[in-house]
Amino acid sequence: MHIFHISDLHIGKQLNGYSLRKNQEKVLEQVAAAAKSEKPDVILICGDIYDKTVPSGEAYQMFDHFLESLGDIRPQIPALIIAGNHDSPERLKFASSFLEKHKIYIAALPPQQPEERLKKIRLEDECGPVNFYMLPFVKPGMVRQLIQREKEEQGEEIQGEFGYQEAVEAILKREKIDLSERNVLLSHQFYTAGENRPETCDSELAAAAAGGLDEIHIKAVEMFDYVALGHLHGFQSVGRDYICYSGSPYKYSVSEERHKKGILSVKLGKKGEPVEKKRIPLSGLQDVRKEQGTLEEVLGRATEENRKDFVSITLTDEKETYNFRDKLEEVYEYILDIRIDNERIRKAIEGDREELRTLTPLESFCEFYQAVRHVPISQEEAEVMEQVITGVERMGEDG
């Protein structure tokens, strides 16, 4: 079975205030053109369709046009879509019953009632059936009550922590998957393989800091014949050759500068045979990249081909450069940010750190006092504060 695997479209995303509409339209056109040319048996879109839970009308139109482009291909290719953590399940599943008549299948929420199961699409090829299990982004709280209720009915209870690992394992266990057949999972989570940690970029690190990236060990999904993942923007396998992130179709941060974006084209043969994979390249109208060097060097590298790229610029001039921003903006049309990195700046930063490290508790309080009251602390107040600090320090020494 021939599978196209993509994810993390992030339709409607902006890059430092710049619209990415034309770039996103171009890569989606390339996906539809590749599907028309290669005619895969199915297209998997593994979450984060939109960049925001409340997409703009323009974002809706862009995705609708993409689905129309796929729907025009003959014979019609089924498209399987799951919600990611950026998607609103309610909005994504709108008109899903109508879309299924056109072979577009959407799974927006995990099971939450006893009668509910994962959406399962069964397709056939010359080797027999392939079962596609569609697991949208799940937080433990979404399914905890359901799993607890079912365990209580069996005279059991949830033991220990019920986190992301336990939630995914419990959901998949309910499916009673027939392992004699070929099975494919669509999932939008953060999977790891012990010390084999997947590569992340700025957007995922930001999510991790906010508690959005909670690890799931691949042991939860190893029973599948192919695992189509979304969530991370770089193409990579996790622990097993058949457990794969397709990556995003376009670069959404400067940290993705070296990513090679594309469609992950997968051939699934007979049960037990290794999957075959290849990448079909995708590219937007503009690249996303870094420029570093002196002002003269950075300006000298501008060409007609690259001056419209999205660029993050780091200047290394040791001498003060006059009007550098204006000079750069005359050459580069889409500057994301400009930073200065030279010996003078590094010494100044290090000096500030040293000064902060040598402040006594009283000196720190005096600076705080002046910042809040906008007047220096008086001699009498400083003496009182010094007595307080000394008393606290003695209490600490006494244990």
Side-chain angles (χ1 to χ4, degrees):
M1 181 160 289
H2 188 189
I3 299 168
F4 268 16
H5 170 195
I6 61 174
S7 72
D8 295 85
L9 308 184
H10 287 280
I11 296 173
K13 185 174 178 62
Q14 294 187 341
L15 189 57
N16 286 32
Y18 293 116
S19 170
L20 296 178
R21 175 179 177 175
K22 292 183 179 179
N23 289 282
Q24 292 183 323
E25 286 177 338
K26 182 178 179 183
V27 294
L28 292 178
E29 287 170 3
Q30 292 170 359
V31 173
K36 185 175 183 179
S37 173
E38 299 216 3
K39 291 186 168 49
D41 298 303
V42 62
I43 298 174
L44 312 182
I45 308 178
C46 297
D48 282 357
I49 311 306
Y50 299 108
D51 190 58
K52 299 184 181 299
T53 55
V54 184
S56 65
E58 181 180 273
Y60 277 122
Q61 290 174 2
M62 196 185 308
F63 189 51
D64 182 61
H65 180 71
F66 173 59
L67 293 180
E68 284 183 5
S69 299
L70 296 180
D72 290 339
I73 299 172
R74 293 293 181 270
Q76 200 163 12
I77 303 170
L80 280 54
I81 303 168
I82 61 171
N85 56 301
H86 279 249
D87 297 312
S88 163
E90 292 76 19
R91 287 178 170 83
L92 190 61
K93 71 180 181 181
F94 178 76
S96 57
S97 298
F98 171 79
L99 292 173
E100 286 194 9
K101 297 177 182 177
H102 299 271
K103 296 189 176 182
I104 297 171
Y105 304 93
I106 297 175
L109 284 166
Q112 294 178 295
Q113 299 299 326
E115 67 277 8
E116 294 177 349
R117 293 292 184 272
L118 292 179
K119 184 180 286 290
K120 174 183 168 183
I121 305 300
R122 188 176 175 90
L123 302 177
E124 298 265 352
D125 66 4
E126 64 276 9
C127 298
V130 180
N131 303 305
F132 291 84
Y133 290 88
M134 302 172 65
L135 174 60
F137 178 73
V138 58
K139 293 182 178 180
M142 294 177 175
V143 297
R144 182 185 175 91
Q145 288 187 353
L146 170 64
I147 303 303
Q148 180 64 56
R149 187 185 315 150
E150 292 182 345
K151 282 188 172 292
E152 288 175 352
E153 291 174 356
Q154 299 170 8
E156 303 174 8
E157 61 180 26
I158 294 176
Q159 298 293 330
E161 181 185 5
F162 187 78
Y164 282 75
Q165 182 84 32
E166 293 77 14
V168 168
E169 289 178 345
I171 292 170
L172 294 177
K173 185 178 179 181
R174 297 175 77 246
E175 297 301 317
K176 296 181 172 55
I177 297 169
D178 183 354
L179 298 181
S180 68
E181 295 185 338
R182 292 173 297 166
N183 300 292
V184 173
L185 177 69
L186 288 69
S187 181
H188 188 96
Q189 308 282 164
F190 182 52
Y191 288 90
T192 65
E195 295 182 358
N196 182 2
R197 297 180 59 79
E199 174 194 349
T200 56
C201 55
D202 285 351
S203 54
E204 290 105 30
L205 291 174
L213 281 182
D214 290 82
E215 298 179 12
I216 301 171
H217 195 279
I218 59 169
K219 66 181 182 181
V221 299
E222 285 178 318
M223 79 286 284
F224 288 90
D225 298 278
Y226 182 68
V227 182
L229 299 178
H231 206 19
L232 302 187
H233 290 187
F235 160 64
Q236 57 200 301
S237 298
V238 185
R240 301 284 184 271
D241 190 54
Y242 60 89
I243 302 177
C244 300
Y245 286 100
S246 66
S248 59
Y250 185 72
K251 298 176 183 178
Y252 290 127
S253 73
V254 176
S255 62
E256 300 175 40
E257 177 187 24
R258 300 192 183 280
H259 288 189
K260 302 298 183 184
K261 301 299 186 180
I263 303 163
L264 184 51
S265 175
V266 179
K267 294 286 185 66
L268 191 64
K270 295 178 181 178
K271 180 76 177 181
E273 290 183 348
V275 297
E276 298 178 18
K277 298 183 297 184
K278 74 171 184 178
R279 298 276 286 165
I280 301 174
L282 298 173
S283 60
L285 296 168
Q286 298 159 278
D287 198 3
V288 181
R289 58 189 182 82
K290 300 176 185 176
E291 279 285 357
Q292 181 165 342
T294 65
L295 178 61
E296 183 179 355
E297 290 170 340
V298 172
L299 293 174
R301 288 196 291 265
T303 67
E304 281 302 314
E305 290 73 29
N306 69 23
R307 60 188 297 270
K308 293 187 178 182
D309 291 344
F310 296 108
V311 291
S312 173
I313 298 174
T314 301
L315 296 179
T316 59
D317 300 81
E318 289 297 336
K319 294 183 179 180
E320 193 73 36
T321 51
Y322 173 72
N323 219 16
F324 65 86
R325 182 176 293 276
D326 289 344
K327 292 177 180 177
L328 289 168
E329 289 177 347
E330 287 176 6
V331 174
Y332 294 101
E333 294 188 23
Y334 299 90
I335 297 175
L336 300 176
D337 55 51
I338 303 173
R339 303 178 187 182
I340 307 296
D341 181 18
N342 55 32
E343 190 66 24
R344 178 167 49 87
I345 295 295
R346 287 193 292 272
K347 284 183 177 179
I349 294 173
E350 190 61 33
D352 288 344
R353 289 174 179 167
E354 185 64 28
E355 183 179 351
L356 287 172
R357 284 197 295 269
T358 58
L359 289 177
T360 66
L362 179 59
E363 289 170 337
S364 297
F365 179 80
C366 291
E367 286 195 1
F368 170 76
Y369 183 96
Q370 183 158 348
V372 174
R373 302 291 299 275
H374 305 293
V375 293
I377 192 170
S378 70
Q379 181 66 32
E380 295 80 6
E381 291 169 328
E383 290 174 356
V384 171
M385 193 62 205
E386 187 170 16
Q387 292 174 7
V388 171
I389 292 171
T390 301
V392 172
E393 290 175 341
R394 286 175 179 169
M395 289 175 60
E397 291 171 359
D398 294 339

